Amino acid sequence: MSIEHVIPYANPVYFIWLIIALLPMILTLLIKGKRWGWYQTALTIVFLYISFGGHYWQQGVALIGYVIFQTILVYGYHTYRKKKNGSGVFYGAVAAAILPLFLVKVTPFFDGQSSLFNFLGISYLTFKSVQMIMEMRDGMIKEYHPFRYIQFLLFFPTISSGPIDRYRRFEKDLLTAPSQEKYLDFLGKGVWNIFLGFLYKFILGYYFGQVLLPIVTKDFLHHGLISWGFLGYMYVYSLYLFFDFAGYSLFAVGVSNLMGYDTPVNFNKPFLSPNIKEFWNRWHMSLSFWFRDYIYMRLMFTLIKKKVFKSRIVASNVGYFALFLIMGVWHGLTWYYILYGLYHATLICVNDAWIRWKKKHGKNLPSNKATKAFSIFLTFQAVCLSFLIFSGILDKLFF
């Protein structure tokens, strides 16, 4: 296997190169409590080449062009923002930041081929770019340093699988290496996260995805919805999706920790959530919080300020449907992704209605460990059904 043909964290060989490359940085942080900026830059170039070199050179070119475009765009908006504060330019800058991702998502829908702009991790970089523009407009980011921004975009541990970090938090870690005592904690967390990632991705994820999933898929497609294969596929696919994705995220967080960065975790026992809102506070947390902060909250502020709806409940429900419709479309322009988004919006609206009803009429309803366990059970069923929709297998079953 040549060095330029490895997708991040997809092969154990990648980790051998990674540990060898990180060892000087680990020793420097342990012994001196410092981080060599030039060495991190060199590491970034090497591992981006590993991910986007060789047969993936077109993705590498697309990545370089994308970063140049976003760097100039954010610089232009920041320069304008220092002089004026027009909402039209703000919305134009956000639209321009989203445009490459939009083209990537739309192009296959029309001609069935991948866009030339596409590269691994374009969604995560787009979220970071939009975040920068929005926080500049809000006055939360007052200074723009192009090289720091590029480092934020190209932070190689998280470029392919997240989590979606926040610029101000990342910049703080970038400029200030952890003390030797604090780095020992980071080192311990990093090793733990990487080993847990191996358990999730290469053992549990492999078992559910490569061993069980083909069996239940065949049974489900053969017998249809009224079969044990339906339940088998629903649960097996849901567990595979979690362990595979959470494993990737743990690798990204663990490697970040080894480099002295406190990258936020992405999953927090989501299948133990007692309701659907809590689930979204535990599942792919960086994405959930990004959509909440930069889409839902801003949409709600506009709807309430403009008095579009008299009822806050109606405004909230409209906001949820808009939010999850966008999330569904972001996954892809197919009916099952859109249905997945609308399904979750419906669940959250029903959950809110239930909470309001309980406040008025539910004083005598029991609340104990048994009811909490039942809530967790129901939420798990609802989530697994949503992943069944998300998987796209119903498209094969019916069409």
Side-chain angles (χ1 to χ4, degrees), residues 291-302:
F291 273 94
R292 179 197 66 191
D293 295 344
Y294 297 106
I295 296 180
Y296 178 77
M297 296 302 295
R298 291 164 189 270
L299 177 59
M300 284 297 297
F301 176 78
T302 301

Side-chain angles (χ1 to χ4, degrees), residues 20 51 56 84 86 94-95 111 140 203 293 306 347 363-364 370 379:
I20 293 172
S51 301
Y56 301 114
K84 299 179 182 179
V94 170
D111 62 14
M140 300 168 72
I203 298 178
D293 295 344
K306 304 275 186 188
L347 288 181
K363 295 181 180 179
N364 296 324
T379 303

Side-chain angles (χ1 to χ4, degrees), residues 9 193 196-209 212 235-251 267 269-271 283 380 387:
Y9 313 123
N193 286 326
L196 188 60
F198 269 98
L199 172 65
Y200 279 19
K201 165 67 181 171
F202 293 115
I203 298 178
L204 296 174
Y206 175 85
Y207 180 71
F208 283 107
L212 291 183
Y235 294 132
V236 169
Y237 179 80
S238 298
L239 291 171
Y240 158 70
L241 187 66
F242 167 69
F243 286 119
D244 186 73
F245 195 9
Y248 273 116
S249 294
L250 283 166
F251 291 144
F267 293 88
K269 302 175 183 176
F271 290 145
W283 175 274
F380 179 67
F387 289 148

Side-chain angles (χ1 to χ4, degrees), residues 158-183:
T158 63
I159 194 170
S160 64
S161 55
I164 306 164
D165 208 347
R166 302 296 173 96
Y167 177 77
R168 287 174 294 150
R169 197 221 61 77
F170 176 84
E171 185 183 43
K172 183 179 178 182
D173 281 358
L174 178 68
L175 298 178
T176 307
S179 65
Q180 292 164 288
E181 182 179 356
K182 187 175 181 180
Y183 181 67

Side-chain angles (χ1 to χ4, degrees), residues 295-296 299-300 303 308-309 311-326 342 345 349:
I295 296 180
Y296 178 77
L299 177 59
M300 284 297 297
L303 293 176
V308 177
F309 302 103
S311 169
R312 283 179 173 263
I313 294 174
V314 173
S316 177
N317 289 343
V318 169
Y320 285 134
F321 273 92
L323 171 67
F324 281 97
L325 181 60
I326 292 171
L342 296 177
C349 291

Side-chain angles (χ1 to χ4, degrees), residues 137-372:
R137 190 215 187 184
D138 294 343
M140 300 168 72
I141 296 176
K142 300 183 183 301
E143 297 295 330
Y144 177 61
H145 303 276
F147 185 59
R148 294 179 195 172
Y149 176 60
I150 292 172
Q151 288 176 291
F152 173 60
L153 287 180
L154 296 180
F155 188 58
F156 76 88
T158 63
I159 194 170
S160 64
S161 55
I164 306 164
D165 208 347
R166 302 296 173 96
Y167 177 77
R168 287 174 294 150
R169 197 221 61 77
F170 176 84
E171 185 183 43
K172 183 179 178 182
D173 281 358
L174 178 68
L175 298 178
T176 307
S179 65
Q180 292 164 288
E181 182 179 356
K182 187 175 181 180
Y183 181 67
L184 281 173
D185 292 333
F186 277 9
L187 191 60
K189 286 196 303 181
V191 171
W192 168 260
N193 286 326
I194 289 173
F195 273 92
L196 188 60
F198 269 98
L199 172 65
Y200 279 19
K201 165 67 181 171
F202 293 115
I203 298 178
L204 296 174
Y206 175 85
Y207 180 71
F208 283 107
Q210 303 299 319
V211 178
L212 291 183
L213 192 59
I215 298 172
V216 295
T217 301
K218 183 178 180 181
D219 186 68
F220 182 35
L221 291 175
H222 180 70
H223 293 98
L225 289 171
I226 311 301
S227 68
W228 289 109
F230 164 77
L231 291 177
Y233 180 87
M234 185 174 76
Y235 294 132
V236 169
Y237 179 80
S238 298
L239 291 171
Y240 158 70
L241 187 66
F242 167 69
F243 286 119
D244 186 73
F245 195 9
Y248 273 116
S249 294
L250 283 166
F251 291 144
V253 173
V255 173
S256 301
N257 295 152
L258 296 184
M259 295 173 65
Y261 289 81
D262 196 17
T263 298
V265 296
N266 227 5
F267 293 88
N268 180 23
K269 302 175 183 176
F271 290 145
L272 296 181
S273 305
N275 58 65
I276 198 65
K277 269 193 173 178
E278 184 67 18
F279 170 80
W280 280 107
N281 285 332
R282 294 166 174 250
W283 175 274
H284 203 345
M285 291 151 59
S286 63
L287 178 67
S288 299
F289 298 158
W290 191 96
F291 273 94
R292 179 197 66 191
D293 295 344
Y294 297 106
I295 296 180
Y296 178 77
M297 296 302 295
R298 291 164 189 270
L299 177 59
M300 284 297 297
F301 176 78
T302 301
L303 293 176
I304 293 172
K305 183 180 179 181
K306 304 275 186 188
K307 298 181 179 179
V308 177
F309 302 103
K310 293 181 180 179
S311 169
R312 283 179 173 263
I313 294 174
V314 173
S316 177
N317 289 343
V318 169
Y320 285 134
F321 273 92
L323 171 67
F324 281 97
L325 181 60
I326 292 171
M327 187 181 290
V329 169
W330 166 67
H331 281 101
L333 289 172
T334 55
W335 68 267
Y336 47 87
Y337 287 142
I338 294 172
L339 179 60
Y340 167 80
L342 296 177
Y343 172 80
H344 270 284
T346 302
L347 288 181
I348 288 188
C349 291
V350 170
N351 181 75
D352 281 359
W354 167 248
I355 291 173
R356 290 193 299 271
W357 187 89
K358 279 205 307 181
K359 287 182 178 179
K360 288 184 178 180
H361 310 289
K363 295 181 180 179
N364 296 324
L365 290 176
S367 180
N368 49 48
K369 291 182 178 179
T371 57
K372 184 176 180 181

Side-chain angles (χ1 to χ4, degrees), residues 107-128:
T107 300
F109 184 74
F110 289 104
D111 62 14
Q113 296 182 356
S114 178
S115 170
L116 292 175
F117 301 102
N118 195 18
F119 60 86
L120 185 68
I122 186 173
S123 291
Y124 296 111
L125 269 62
T126 300
F127 293 140
K128 290 180 176 182

